[in-house]
Amino acid sequence: MGLIGNLRSGLRSLLSKERVEREMDEELDGYLDAAAAHKRQLGMSSREARRAARVEMGGRNAVKQRMWSSRWESVVENLVQDVRQGARGLLKSPGFTLVALLSLTLGIGANTAIFTLMNAIMLRPLPVEKPQQLVLFGDGRAAGSTDSLPDSTWRLFSYPFFRTFGSKAQSFAGLAAVNSNQSNSHASVAGGALEPIHIDLVSGSYFGMLGVPAVLGRVIGTADDGAPGSGPVAVANYGWFQRHFHGDPAALGKVVRIQSHDYTLIGVARPGFFGASVGESADLWIPLSMEKEISPGQNGITDKFYQSLYILGRLKPGVSMTAAGSETNLLFKQILRSDFVGANPSQKELTSIQHASIELTPAGNGISRLRRRFSLPLEILMTIVALVLLIACANIANMLLARGVSRAREIAVRMALGASRGRIVVQLLTESSLLAFAGAGLGIALAWKASPLLLQMASPGPQPIPINLRPDGMVLGFTLLVTVLTALIFGIIPALRATRLELTPALKEGRGGGTASTRSTLARGLIVGQVALSILLMAAAGLFIRSLLNLTSIDTGFDKHDALVFSLDASAAGLPHGSPEEIRSVQLQEQIEQRVQAIPGVKSDSFAFFTFDQGGWTDAVMFQGVGKTAENSREVFFNIVSNGFFDTMGLPVQAGRGFNTHDTQTSQKVAVINQTMARRFFPNGDAVGRRFGLGEDPAHSGDIEVIGVVKDAKYTALLDTGQMAAYFPCVDNPGFYGNFVVKLAPGVSRAAVIAQTRSAIAQINPNILVSSISSLEEQVSGSIATQSLIAQLSAFFGVLAVFLSCIGIYGLMSYAVLRRTNEIGIRLALGARTGVLLWMVLRESLVLLGLGLAIGLPVTLGSTRILQSQLYQLSPVDPVALCVAVATVAVMTMLAAWLPARRATLVDPMVALRCD
């Protein structure tokens, strides 16, 4: 019989067991008749022949059982029976089942939730054709733009370089470019109201190289990415298309208006594709040829020094990354010599080219700056939740050991009736598997809810990072593996120990028979391990919390309290760019500042290019008459601000003055520098009145005059140290700067000020849109969102670990008291004091606690050193964190042991003496 036929026959047998019984009876009757007939031929009487045939065959039921066991259907039937019996056993012990399910739900759910984040950020491949062939030029850690000639590894590239390199490279089946900064703007879709939109500017080869087809219409092609301004088309993200047009094919050809330009919708990318950058979901893809229209003032299409692009490549079949890297760097240096520095390069340019290189990195998992930020924290959290699950498994194993002792007579009876030890072990493991899979099901539900919450906690802003957290095959496979391992870890040893007994004593001793789990070395060893791991987790939690407290106590230099930050988008306001009329943007900002400052409760306000943790604009500077040193050769952080910026941010001017109405577009260009910059360039003199220029060209070293020195502050991160900074007035750098900071008087209603500010902006220009509103406090706290996530989760899981350990100790001591009830009654009847009985029960707990501390402390001291990079101004062996961890575990352990010990002292001696 073939495989399919065998399966069909087996399924029919499972569904019609009575028919199978009849068929076996008929087969056995036929055998008996044939055997009896044969024996009659040998001279036996009919009665003797029949009896001999039956003796020869054996017991009918035993034969039928052997026949059924030889078929694969018996395995399924046994499994169903084991599941049914295991479910009944769990339902008979609701307390044990509830505690075990809760432990497993938290343990497996936490592991699944953290792994879901890890998979989405670090492991999941892009939904493109053969992602393993993709490489990225550089490591993807940079974003924005640069116009210098780097003398190290290049991460960003210009459009002319991309074109030139693509025409010469032979190792790649295709190349594509995408702007490293996603454009966030507002758009009118098919004549509707303005709404936020996220745009990726891509080369014409982008979709073709990645192998991402259009599910509707067509994708962007090379014909759309020609001369500047020649490709006013857009491809939509599938989800965005569904939200706006509900899958209507007639939407193709609709117009999306962005920055006063119209873009025709030509296609929809296939479902599941959000772009090549992890954590950045594009609504629309638009050709790079439209860069100046999307981002006015940028000329990256023609400027070979405007380096703002990521370059992705697909290796040709058979070409290794090493070979491709060699060709890439050879072409790279040739193009730099021929196209960037010209025929007469300076010595500095030659040195830069000599040191410059391109590192090819695998890009199958996408471009991700998040990977560097989250990889180590996620690995730490993954280790923490794995240890919590291990503690939960030890806890359940201990309960199963105790449960096995109470089931000794049941198991002995089953073995006496003929059940093999292996058969009973399988049944007990099935019961453990039921627990594990039920816990896994609840854990997946918990992870489904918890993963978005964790992502929100880890996101620096009010909106979560756009990452696809839907569980895929890898997540489900991980959960399945964890579930199976969990069932084996907490189930196999109790199952083996429960079946290792002597039948006669076990049948005589009944429920109280067998070796008490509370006395077993294994049970005590599990408790010791739980205590040791709890010390480790509590110590790690203490370290992360104290490090977070150190971070939050850092002086930012500016006053972060009572300050709102309005993110404004003027893309639809029709403001001029790249012409003398651009001063209108500054005048518009001044009108907004004056109108908002008149609102009751507003102390001051100001526009700024940057506030805090928003990236930066940096470059080298050169002061007239000041030589270069190691201290002043570093790049300077620049900001463009309005006149009221220093008052609004609470940055006092230490020398000279700040910006005022005397600083105009026609007056001398001026700047205010911070204390660090003044000290490094003029350690023994006054910086006010001195002049400097951007870059390293001596001809421009007198362009800007220093008019003041302002207090140092943090600019891009709380961990900034010694950052030189210079501020320029908006009138010297005309443009509309989208950060509008409003300083409030203490106690003022924020909601009222926000509403009036929105109204004031709309009255001045209704096309200036408020994209988001936050506070400086939120920006500062958002910059340490990852550290806060680790601290909060490690504290939660540390407490959970201690709680699980306490449950284990409580159960162990309660069972010990139960088994010694008779002994306790005798001692009480003989006049034993309460304190003596209390010490008798607590003594074992103290021994276990001492052993756990003896093992846990050295492990903790050795393990926490790997956390050094995640701690701020804190030793990984911080005595405060260790002492708090030890004290917490010790107090909770003794409390868990004291409760059953105290109950033992309250036993009525007469009741205890009658206890079996």
Side-chain angles (χ1 to χ4, degrees):
M1 182 183 295
L3 177 62
I4 301 299
N6 194 11
L7 287 174
R8 288 177 178 172
S9 174
L11 290 174
R12 283 197 300 269
S13 299
L14 288 172
L15 296 175
S16 304
K17 187 66 181 296
E18 293 181 358
R19 180 181 60 80
V20 175
E21 290 279 350
R22 287 196 304 271
E23 290 176 353
M24 285 193 292
D25 283 333
E26 291 172 359
E27 187 175 347
L28 291 177
D29 288 341
Y31 171 79
L32 284 174
D33 291 342
H38 176 68
K39 294 184 183 299
R40 285 197 300 270
Q41 291 176 357
L42 296 177
M44 290 186 180
S45 66
S46 297
R47 184 176 179 179
E48 290 176 342
R50 191 78 177 177
R51 183 176 179 276
R54 285 175 179 167
V55 171
E56 187 178 275
M57 183 183 72
R60 177 180 288 264
N61 289 335
V63 173
K64 287 165 65 175
Q65 181 62 36
R66 287 197 299 272
M67 292 173 63
W68 177 251
S69 299
S70 65
R71 303 168 63 157
W72 68 266
E73 301 95 303
S74 65
V75 177
V76 177
E77 184 184 47
N78 290 340
L79 178 61
V80 172
Q81 290 176 352
D82 288 345
V83 169
R84 188 182 296 119
Q85 185 171 345
R88 284 200 301 264
L90 293 176
L91 291 175
K92 288 180 181 178
S93 305
F96 161 76
T97 304
L98 184 62
V99 172
L101 280 181
L102 179 61
S103 302
L104 290 172
T105 298
L106 292 173
I108 296 177
N111 276 268
T112 302
I114 299 299
F115 184 79
T116 298
L117 281 179
M118 180 179 286
N119 178 56
I121 294 174
M122 302 170 58
L123 305 176
R124 180 180 290 155
L126 288 175
V128 301
E129 180 184 346
K130 297 180 180 178
Q132 69 277 7
Q133 295 179 346
L134 297 181
V135 295
L136 174 69
F137 287 39
D139 55 18
R141 294 182 178 180
S145 63
T146 179
D147 58 2
S148 60
L149 193 67
D151 61 355
S152 58
T153 299
W154 280 39
R155 297 183 172 98
L156 300 175
F157 304 89
S158 66
Y159 190 80
F161 173 84
F162 164 69
R163 286 292 196 190
T164 303
F165 184 90
S167 65
K168 297 181 178 181
Q170 300 297 317
S171 298
F172 302 94
L175 294 172
V178 57
N179 201 307
S180 61
N181 262 351
Q182 190 174 74
S183 298
N184 300 317
S185 186
H186 283 77
S188 170
V189 181
L194 290 172
E195 60 182 72
I197 197 161
H198 307 289
I199 303 163
D200 272 353
L201 294 171
V202 299
S203 64
S205 56
Y206 180 78
F207 288 97
M209 189 279 290
L210 291 177
V212 177
V215 70
L216 191 65
R218 68 175 181 88
V219 295
I220 294 170
T222 53
D224 302 308
D225 189 28
S230 63
V233 296
V235 171
N237 174 295
Y238 183 81
W240 182 90
F241 176 75
Q242 289 293 328
R243 289 193 302 273
H244 285 79
F245 301 107
H246 309 290
D248 184 6
L252 294 184
K254 296 284 187 181
V255 172
V256 180
R257 189 168 183 80
I258 308 170
Q259 297 270 18
S260 303
H261 292 83
D262 292 337
Y263 297 83
T264 303
L265 192 63
I266 61 171
V268 180
R270 73 178 178 193
F273 181 73
F274 304 100
S277 296
V278 178
E280 293 182 359
S281 180
D283 297 321
L284 295 178
W285 290 275
I286 291 176
L288 274 165
S289 60
M290 305 302 295
E291 181 183 51
K292 190 171 183 179
E293 286 72 21
I294 293 293
S295 302
Q298 295 184 3
N299 297 301
I301 294 298
T302 56
D303 187 350
K304 62 189 175 186
F305 281 100
Y306 187 79
Q307 300 152 50
S308 63
L309 304 180
Y310 292 134
I311 296 180
L312 289 161
R314 181 179 293 278
L315 296 175
K316 286 182 177 179
V319 176
S320 67
M321 190 176 294
T322 302
S326 299
E327 186 204 25
T328 296
N329 279 283
L330 178 63
L331 289 175
F332 173 54
K333 293 181 184 294
Q334 292 175 356
I335 294 171
L336 289 182
R337 286 293 303 267
S338 61
D339 295 3
F340 279 72
V341 300
N344 299 304
S346 66
Q347 185 57 46
K348 181 180 179 180
E349 289 173 334
L350 290 175
T351 302
S352 296
I353 292 174
Q354 182 180 357
H355 294 158
S357 64
I358 297 176
E359 176 189 5
L360 296 184
T361 56
N365 295 333
I367 307 167
S368 180
R369 296 190 296 276
L370 296 176
R371 202 166 290 135
R372 180 186 180 190
R373 174 182 168 189
F374 283 107
S375 58
L376 183 56
L378 284 175
E379 289 168 3
I380 292 173
L381 288 175
M382 198 74 230
T383 303
I384 289 173
V385 295
L387 292 177
V388 169
L389 181 58
L390 188 59
I391 290 175
C393 289
N395 211 21
I396 299 171
N398 230 336
M399 290 189 289
L400 286 174
L401 285 170
R403 198 160 179 258
V405 173
S406 67
R407 298 174 67 181
R409 171 173 285 181
E410 172 199 342
I411 294 172
V413 168
R414 293 179 63 190
M415 294 180 73
L417 293 175
S420 67
R421 184 187 182 194
R423 183 72 185 85
I424 296 176
V425 167
V426 170
Q427 198 281 318
L428 294 176
L429 282 178
T430 302
E431 189 174 297
S432 300
S433 299
L434 276 177
L435 273 178
F437 278 96
L442 295 172
I444 290 175
L446 176 64
W448 181 271
K449 296 294 184 182
S451 295
L453 178 61
L454 296 179
L455 185 61
Q456 178 68 70
M457 292 171 64
S459 301
Q463 297 298 321
I465 300 169
I467 292 178
N468 179 17
L469 293 178
R470 286 178 298 182
D472 56 13
M474 184 172 289
V475 172
L476 296 177
F478 169 82
T479 305
L480 178 62
L481 177 62
V482 168
T483 303
V484 172
L485 289 177
T486 299
L488 291 175
I489 289 172
F490 73 73
I492 188 68
I493 294 179
L496 292 174
R497 289 185 65 86
T499 56
R500 194 175 63 192
L501 46 78
E502 296 180 14
L503 294 184
T504 302
L507 289 171
K508 288 181 179 180
E509 292 173 3
R511 292 180 58 85
T515 303
S517 65
T518 53
R519 298 294 186 185
S520 71
T521 303
L522 177 59
R524 290 191 226 116
L526 290 173
I527 294 295
V528 169
Q530 287 179 284
V531 171
L533 291 178
S534 297
I535 291 288
L536 173 60
L537 293 178
M538 283 300 296
L543 290 172
F544 288 129
I545 291 173
R546 283 178 51 78
S547 176
L548 180 64
L549 292 175
N550 289 344
L551 281 171
T552 56
S553 64
I554 293 175
D555 180 16
T556 59
F558 55 84
D559 184 5
K560 62 184 179 180
H561 304 291
D562 299 313
L564 296 175
V565 181
F566 292 78
S567 179
L568 306 183
D569 182 6
S571 60
L575 298 176
H577 296 278
S579 70
E581 289 297 311
E582 199 165 14
I583 194 64
R584 285 170 45 196
S585 296
V586 179
Q587 296 166 354
L588 181 62
Q589 291 176 168
E590 291 173 351
Q591 292 178 40
I592 294 174
E593 289 172 342
Q594 293 169 7
R595 184 73 63 86
V596 172
Q597 197 161 359
I599 296 173
V602 174
K603 295 176 64 176
S604 61
D605 55 16
S606 173
F607 278 87
F609 196 1
F610 306 107
T611 52
F612 173 75
D613 190 31
Q614 295 181 323
W617 165 32
T618 61
D619 202 349
V621 301
M622 177 175 285
F623 272 88
Q624 282 185 336
V626 178
K628 285 287 186 181
T629 66
E631 288 294 314
N632 65 30
S633 296
R634 301 174 186 174
E635 290 193 336
V636 178
F637 173 85
F638 300 130
N639 201 355
I640 301 171
V641 300
S642 297
N643 294 347
F645 181 78
F646 301 119
D647 290 335
T648 303
M649 296 291 289
L651 290 170
V653 177
Q654 305 292 321
R657 66 174 178 86
F659 303 126
N660 56 37
T661 54
H662 294 98
D663 302 311
T664 66
Q665 194 176 25
T666 57
S667 63
Q668 167 65 44
K669 289 189 175 184
V670 294
V672 173
I673 65 175
N674 71 350
Q675 293 171 301
T676 298
M677 186 171 176
R679 185 169 55 252
R680 288 185 179 173
F681 279 95
F682 308 100
N684 301 314
D686 188 3
V688 176
R690 306 300 291 265
R691 296 194 173 195
F692 70 93
L694 305 186
E696 300 181 0
D697 187 351
H700 294 285
S701 61
D703 289 352
I704 304 166
E705 179 182 347
V706 177
I707 61 170
V709 177
V710 74
K711 178 186 175 182
D712 285 340
K714 303 295 182 181
Y715 306 105
T716 59
L718 282 177
L719 299 183
D720 282 346
T721 55
Q723 176 70 61
M724 295 188 291
Y727 302 87
F728 306 123
C730 290
V731 291
D732 286 347
N733 300 270
F736 190 89
Y737 299 100
N739 288 305
F740 181 46
V741 188
V742 179
K743 184 71 172 180
L744 308 181
V748 172
S749 171
R750 292 192 175 190
V753 172
I754 289 172
Q756 293 179 69
T757 301
R758 284 181 178 273
S759 176
I761 294 171
Q763 289 173 13
I764 293 172
N765 191 322
N767 290 322
I768 296 178
L769 306 177
V770 178
S771 299
S772 63
I773 303 172
S774 62
S775 67
L776 281 178
E777 288 178 297
E778 290 171 345
Q779 288 188 346
V780 173
S781 61
S783 69
I784 53 173
T786 304
Q787 293 89 334
S788 178
L789 174 70
I790 296 177
Q792 293 179 59
L793 291 185
S794 62
F796 171 76
F797 289 122
V799 171
L800 177 61
V802 175
F803 176 71
L804 291 174
S805 298
C806 289
I807 290 177
I809 291 172
Y810 177 82
L812 185 71
M813 292 299 102
S814 296
Y815 199 77
V817 169
L818 179 64
R819 293 189 59 82
R820 300 177 69 180
T821 300
N822 190 270
E823 175 191 349
I824 292 171
I826 293 173
R827 290 176 179 271
L828 285 171
L830 294 177
R833 289 177 297 175
T834 301
V836 174
L837 290 176
L838 201 62
W839 170 249
M840 181 185 74
V841 178
L842 287 178
R843 183 171 51 199
E844 183 174 1
S845 299
L846 285 173
V847 171
L848 297 179
L849 175 63
L851 289 173
L853 293 177
I855 296 173
L857 281 174
V859 171
T860 299
L861 292 173
S863 301
T864 53
R865 297 182 186 278
I866 65 174
L867 307 178
Q868 181 66 69
S869 63
Q870 298 296 304
L871 303 178
Y872 174 70
Q873 291 186 350
L874 193 70
S875 168
V877 292
D878 176 58
V880 174
L882 290 174
C883 289
V884 170
V886 170
T888 301
V889 173
V891 169
M892 295 300 294
T893 299
M894 294 315 300
L895 178 62
W898 180 83
L899 292 174
R902 174 63 177 167
R903 191 168 61 246
T905 64
L906 301 177
V907 171
D908 186 341
M910 297 304 296
V911 175
L913 289 171
R914 288 196 297 267
C915 182
D916 183 12

